[in-house]
Amino acid sequence: MSTPQSGIFALGTASHAYLEFDARQQGAGREFVSAVASLREPRTTMGGINLVAGFRPELWRELAPEDVPRDVEGFNRDLLGPDGYRMPATQHDAVLWLSGSAYDVVFDTARAAIAALNALASVAEEASSWPYRHDRDLTGFIDGSENPSLIDAPELVVIPEGSPGAGGTILLLQKWSHDATAWESLPVAGQEQVIGRTKDESVELDDKAPDSHVARTDQDEFGKIFRRNMPYGTVTDHGTMFVGFSADQRPLTAMVESMAGLTDGVRDALTNYTQPLTGAYYFVPSTQSLRRCGGTT
């Protein structure tokens, strides 16, 4: 039986780091993937750290063509919405997501991982994250209200046995910068109309607007995903790391296309106050697949 990487479902961690890598040389994919996969020792944690590794789908397919869904692909093209709106594609070769109870351990483990991969890959993107008011993002609203429970999530977002990529999942990783000044100038009622939920209790509005964030990302319409979003950044430059998992790429793609207004020309109202800076899809293979690529059994 194939099992997902445990860090995907390790809730309650207080510190996070996201490292995206590009291989230094073409043709060195096998060595690079093996080096990333070897960082999984011990297999579930590293000194109290959860480490989740993912790879550009095309790169993983080169090495394990039967161990990835046939139609999954990287975020290889910008999404262009109405009025010149752009959701950038910044696909890289691999991602490491580290999470733990304290940032010093995350920091040291991240530095060690970068050093271990330095001969083969360079860091292309880096972000550090932390929880805000328990379960809220930096808009002040509860994030992940529609998340499935930990009991249901694996069944919904992990590729089932008998399918290519069993035990794996597909990750959409995006960094969204917030225009805090513009957002905080809105009255709470205006913010609630943008989101489509009440701010304090996260109750969905009966009269939510068609361009509200809830309406544009309706999981009943697009399919269930499992979100591990986190705030990132500094006091003066901050936002949200969108960290979304799905067994099928289409729900993730459909949601961002809906937000960008590709389907009907209606953009998500939240995009007036947040700006996507990055966008990448990664295939997150099962623990067993990582062991094989890392040279362990």
Side-chain angles (χ1 to χ4, degrees):
M1 181 177 178
S2 300
T3 55
Q5 296 182 44
S6 60
I8 296 168
F9 304 107
L11 301 183
T13 46
S15 297
H16 299 251
Y18 309 90
L19 304 173
E20 295 178 82
F21 292 88
D22 283 330
R24 293 189 185 277
Q25 294 183 344
Q26 291 186 346
R30 184 171 298 277
E31 185 180 4
F32 171 51
V33 170
S34 178
V36 174
S38 70
L39 298 174
R40 293 292 300 172
E41 298 299 330
R43 295 179 181 126
T44 55
T45 61
M46 295 177 60
I49 295 295
N50 298 296
L51 176 59
V52 174
F55 303 92
R56 178 168 54 85
E58 295 86 351
L59 174 60
W60 185 261
R61 185 175 289 114
E62 290 177 9
L63 307 181
E66 302 303 317
D67 191 37
V68 62
R70 295 179 180 88
D71 56 352
V72 65
E73 62 179 11
F75 203 137
N76 300 321
R77 297 167 295 279
D78 292 352
L79 296 183
L80 302 177
D83 303 322
Y85 179 77
R86 184 174 72 93
M87 194 174 286
T90 59
Q91 185 66 52
H92 300 293
D93 287 328
V95 64
L96 293 178
W97 166 32
L98 302 96
S99 63
S101 60
Y103 188 67
D104 56 348
V105 185
V106 171
F107 177 85
D108 285 343
T109 306
R111 290 192 67 208
I114 291 170
L117 300 175
N118 184 59
L120 297 169
S122 58
V123 177
E125 292 283 349
E126 175 189 356
S128 299
S129 294
W130 27 267
Y132 179 70
R133 297 187 181 181
H134 182 59
D135 56 3
R136 296 180 185 268
D137 65 24
L138 296 180
T139 66
F141 283 74
I142 294 174
D143 200 348
S145 297
E146 294 295 315
N147 251 0
S149 70
L150 282 180
I151 295 175
D152 296 330
E155 182 177 345
L156 291 170
V157 304
V158 175
I159 297 169
E161 291 295 324
S163 299
T169 185
I170 299 159
L171 164 65
L172 171 59
L173 184 68
Q174 291 179 298
K175 178 188 285 187
W176 288 79
S177 176
H178 290 201
D179 185 343
T181 301
W183 178 254
E184 291 167 1
S185 69
L186 289 176
V188 170
Q191 294 179 358
E192 291 176 339
Q193 287 298 317
V194 169
I195 299 296
R197 289 184 177 275
T198 61
K199 191 167 188 177
D200 289 339
E201 302 298 331
S202 198
V203 176
E204 188 170 329
L205 301 179
D206 292 332
D207 61 345
K208 61 182 179 294
D211 66 346
S212 68
H213 184 58
V214 169
R216 301 306 296 178
T217 60
D218 186 353
Q219 293 192 36
D220 290 333
E221 177 181 352
F222 299 121
K224 292 293 184 182
I225 66 172
F226 184 63
R227 291 163 53 173
R228 292 295 309 276
N229 296 2
M230 279 285 163
Y232 80 88
T234 66
V235 174
T236 57
D237 181 14
H238 52 256
T240 297
M241 292 299 297
F242 178 87
V243 184
F245 294 94
S246 178
D248 182 356
Q249 189 171 24
R250 187 56 198 166
L252 297 165
T253 303
M255 286 183 190
V256 291
E257 289 177 348
S258 175
M259 290 182 70
L262 269 69
T263 53
D264 55 7
V266 179
R267 262 176 52 200
D268 189 326
L270 188 57
T271 62
N272 293 314
Y273 305 93
T274 62
Q275 177 66 37
L277 304 179
T278 68
Y281 287 107
Y282 295 101
F283 178 65
V284 181
S286 70
T287 300
Q288 289 78 10
S289 294
L290 277 182
R291 293 178 195 169
R292 289 192 293 271
C293 283
T296 61
T297 58

